[in-house]
Amino acid sequence: QVQLLESGGGLVQPGGSLTLSCEASTTISDFNAVSWHRQAPGKERELVASIFTGGTRTYADSVKGRFTISREIAENTVYLRMNSLIPEDTAVYSCNLRVQTGLYKGDYWGPGTQVTVSS
């Protein structure tokens, strides 16, 4: 019912910046949260950042102060701005949409985009 597509990943130098995008195929008026997760080789998937329907944002301690999650509601898009990147940020980043009620109620994931921080 809803498809998500991430974009913006790539190779970046330590200390650099990158912005990821997650675009939904359908306008969602009522949702619980949109979140960014990441999974590095040999590690479990971890929650990076979330934005809720009222605009509240939360972050993992490891990225707080460096990453910013935001919304462009009219374009059905959520962004993750990543600054001061370090090699430990290297991972596949995926977005997750949780819809509370209605026709599109459910839990949706995008295929992910690779972020590599390396010299």
Side-chain angles (χ1 to χ4, degrees):
Q1 292 181 304
V2 181
Q3 295 180 349
L4 305 179
L5 181 61
E6 302 96 339
S7 62
L11 175 64
V12 64
Q13 299 288 325
S17 298
L18 208 59
T19 299
L20 306 182
S21 301
C22 175
E23 184 175 359
S25 61
T26 304
T27 299
I28 307 298
S29 299
D30 186 12
F31 65 94
N32 184 31
V34 178
S35 300
W36 285 95
H37 294 73
R38 68 185 182 186
Q39 187 167 25
K43 295 185 177 180
E44 298 292 329
R45 179 182 293 172
E46 64 174 331
L47 176 64
V48 176
S50 298
I51 185 166
F52 298 87
T53 184
T56 300
R57 295 177 287 187
T58 62
Y59 300 93
D61 288 341
S62 58
V63 307
K64 190 175 298 183
R66 300 189 297 119
F67 290 12
T68 302
I69 187 170
S70 61
R71 294 182 297 177
E72 288 285 353
I73 297 176
E75 297 180 358
N76 306 325
T77 302
V78 170
Y79 299 95
L80 184 68
R81 176 65 174 174
M82 305 183 294
N83 295 323
S84 302
L85 286 161
I86 59 177
E88 289 75 17
D89 295 320
T90 296
V92 174
Y93 286 72
S94 302
C95 65
N96 169 236
L97 168 67
R98 295 183 184 272
V99 181
Q100 296 175 267
T101 60
L103 179 63
Y104 300 107
K105 181 180 180 181
D107 186 13
Y108 303 90
W109 289 88
T113 185
Q114 175 72 47
V115 172
T116 302
V117 185
S118 176
S119 299

